[in-house]
Amino acid sequence: MAYENLAFLIPLLPALAFAITFFVGKKTPYGGGLIPIFAIAASFLISLMITIGLLQNPDQVISQSYHWFAIFNLGILIDPLAAVMLTMVAFVSLLIHIYSVGYMSHDPAKSRYFAETSLFTASMLSLVLSDNILQLFISWELVGLCSYLLIGFWYQKPSAASAAKKAFLTTRVGDVMFLAGIIVLFADLFKLVNGSIPDGVYLLRFDEIFSYIPEIAAMNATILGFEVSHLTIITLLFFGGAVGKSGQFPLHVWLPDAMEGPTTVSALIHAATMVTAGVYLVARTFPMFIAAPQSLIIVAYVGAFTALFAATMGLVMNDLKRVLAYSTISQLGYMMLGLGMGAVVGAEAVGVSIFHLISHAFFKALLFLCAGSVIHAVGTHDMRELGGVAKVMPITAATMVAASLALAGFGIPGTSIGSTGFFSKDPIIENAYLFGEHAGNWFPYLFAIVAALLTSLYIFRLLFMTFAGKPRTNYGGHESPASMTVPLSILGILALFFGAIVVEPLNKFVSGTFVNNFVNMDIPALAEVGNYELVHHAGHEPLLIQWMPVIVAIIGLLITFVIYYQKAIDMSRFVSKDNVVYKLLYNRYYQNEIFTRLFAVRFVYEGLAMAGYHIDRFIDGIVNVISYLTIEAGDSFRKIQTGVIQHYSVAVITGVSLLVILIKLVMEVF
Amino acid sequence: MIPLNWYLALSAIIFSIGLYGFISQKNGIRILMCVELMLNSANINLVAFSSYNDDMSGQVFALFSIALAAAEAAIGFAIMMSIYRMRDAINLDELNLLRW
């Protein structure tokens, strides 16, 4: 078990690579690509070794803690949840870095690109393995910063610059809520230990936080006349942070615009890793959520609604990357829904949701990289200008089909045949069914199943429009170089076969993340604190329910096949400015307009302008009075300076004489 | 032996002459000369006290002071020279470039 001593290197190596690449990147091979690749490869190997070690001995998690300052610590916690996340992040990041060598080969600023992506990888890895919520928050902000930098990578483009700003500001709303949650939590913990903290106890470490859950749940506050538990407030604030970071409704607006960055960035940050930070946060603090009445249900509702809401918009987008962006939002919704279903299945929900996170990372990174391959070769990402790409780029097309099958969730229930997406999405939908059966509330299930149909519709629409049929415009094109197709193929194989092999052990592994030598949580008891009743997931739902996700996926495939391949129905009748539904979807429910016109312009901009005007007048007044007094004083006093040297000497001599007289007088007195 | 008071009186008279000249004159050269007078009156004091107290350090101090005065005079006259070349006058009343 020598590997656990190397755990601190996991985030440190990419951070070091960032420093080197940032300063001398242009002089290193492949425009600075090589050092980050080796650093991340090393991180990946260490994480993999640690994960394998943990798999054999899941109770002995790695937990190292170092004093930082005052009552805070820096620490490493690698439990099953963190281990699989670490391995996934490092692995996807490694593949994308290799792919980037080819994809970014023409970009003059590629050393900056590699520096920023390795900084991102470092902060994401440190986010995953922090053992206290403060360190997690710091990494969380760093990740947000990298996202900002990389969205605005082509800062010469005004649209990229404004997209970067939008992403930063929107996620900031969530970040502030997260910070507020941490502050409330810390205040409560401080009160619970009566203000005296024993040496060596760090209140914000997860094990300490979790040990106080029942006490925090018992603290009540009254907000707007409602009696709310402090735990509910804290968890909702945490979830607010997750909503911002993971692009949940209503803070999802930044994610589609984030596609202004290089496609590899979209794949790395806005599909596979950073946006899952919110999901990870909820999973990490899951014991708090399950003990908080209402919070978990809100997580489930927001997740389910987002899954459906984003999928409808994905249907009408014409931009390759935007379809994938909405697809990401929708899948993140599924993950949140999966966590919310902890209300009925307990800690198992964490396993299910994290497994979907991992499988999503594989197939969504793959989808983006395929799209990047197409864009790199063809030079456009408008699907209306494409078509028939499969003939030019067979490897890309094949991997894209694999990724689409995984996203739509094709597989045969009851057997071990199926794509990774099938094994990860099905349990979420089944849990939603269990929730409906148990709580008599069918909305999450309904949303999830309709979203599954829409998922299949939009992804096969994309597939048929881009890769099948005849080219709609003249574009030159060629298959991408090996540095791009090799990562594609690896991800393609993972997207198809990974799930079938690991689904059972991985779910069990991650679900056990709260029972080990670091924390030992009694999840059912906590659920009772939150007034939830857990049922054991038995897997004997009606056959129709088990088949339902696959059936809707096939229906979606058939519909798109008929419309976009055989062209049996003329879509131009529906796709027009006269169709109200189309217009609503195409304009993204006018949410941007509502946010900008009503909120940003009317409220923030004009409000700020008004407030700014009055504050300005007040401060201006003070400043003006001071400057007026100074000018006037100077004006009258400057007459003293005659410029005649004798006047000065008289003044000096008079002064000296007076001084002498004074000293004489003083000496006589004493 | 001449009493100490006489030296001090001489020094005071020379200092007053220098001071009067410094205040009343407008010619730069004269002013510099008056400054020299004041400096040297102080030197007389130093030497007088040195002799009176039988302590050599006063005379050493006077030597330093004379050396400094020489340097100061050299710089002062050099400045006056360049002012004269530039402005064709060494009347200090007319040198009011930095005045308001």
Side-chain angles (χ1 to χ4, degrees), chain A residues 307-308 311 330-331 334 407-410 425-426 429 445-460 548-557:
Chain A
L308 178 67
S330 166
Q331 296 300 312
Y334 270 116
L407 174 62
F410 274 85
K425 196 158 71 174
D426 240 29
I429 299 178
Y445 178 70
L446 208 65
F447 282 178
I449 207 80
V450 177
L453 171 67
L454 294 175
T455 306
S456 170
L457 278 176
Y458 68 67
I459 195 61
F460 287 113
M548 202 60 190
V550 181
I551 292 171
V552 294
I554 293 171
I555 293 172
L557 173 61

Side-chain angles (χ1 to χ4, degrees), chain A residues 23 84 146 175 194 202 218 290 305 316 359 366 382 432 447 453 455-456 495 513 564 572 574 594:
Chain A
F23 288 111
V84 294
C146 292
D175 294 352
N194 290 325
Y202 301 108
I290 201 159
F305 181 71
V316 297
S359 79
L366 177 56
D382 193 330
F447 282 178
L453 171 67
T455 306
S456 170
T513 195
Y564 290 101
S572 59
F574 301 104
I594 292 169

Side-chain angles (χ1 to χ4, degrees), chain A residues 285-455:
Chain A
T285 54
F286 187 73
M288 301 173 71
F289 273 88
I290 201 159
Q294 292 110 30
S295 286
L296 211 54
I297 304 297
I298 290 175
V299 172
Y301 270 108
V302 170
F305 181 71
T306 308
L308 178 67
F309 182 73
T312 55
M313 288 185 284
L315 268 183
V316 297
M317 292 298 143
N318 288 320
D319 185 318
L320 211 52
K321 284 169 77 181
R322 274 184 195 268
V323 176
L324 297 180
Y326 281 109
S327 159
T328 303
I329 299 172
S330 166
Q331 296 300 312
L332 288 167
Y334 270 116
M335 293 171 211
M336 287 296 182
L337 171 66
L339 285 171
M341 290 306 111
V344 283
V345 294
E348 202 187 304
V350 177
V352 166
S353 178
I354 292 298
F355 182 54
H356 190 53
L357 189 157
I358 305 242
S359 79
H360 173 257
F362 289 147
F363 63 66
K364 189 51 61 68
L366 177 56
L367 283 170
F368 267 106
L369 294 184
C370 286
S373 181
V374 172
I375 294 165
H376 186 68
V378 177
T380 174
H381 35 78
D382 193 330
M383 290 195 286
R384 286 167 298 190
E385 294 172 17
L386 294 165
V389 178
K391 284 198 193 70
V392 200
M393 310 176 78
I395 300 175
T396 307
T399 49
M400 187 84 174
V401 170
S404 306
L405 288 177
L407 174 62
F410 274 85
I412 302 169
T415 65
S416 59
I417 303 166
S419 58
T420 308
F422 165 72
F423 286 107
S424 61
K425 196 158 71 174
D426 240 29
I428 294 179
I429 299 178
E430 275 172 34
N431 285 347
Y433 175 80
L434 271 182
F435 176 76
E437 203 176 45
H438 199 67
N441 189 337
W442 295 94
F443 278 112
Y445 178 70
L446 208 65
F447 282 178
I449 207 80
V450 177
L453 171 67
L454 294 175
T455 306

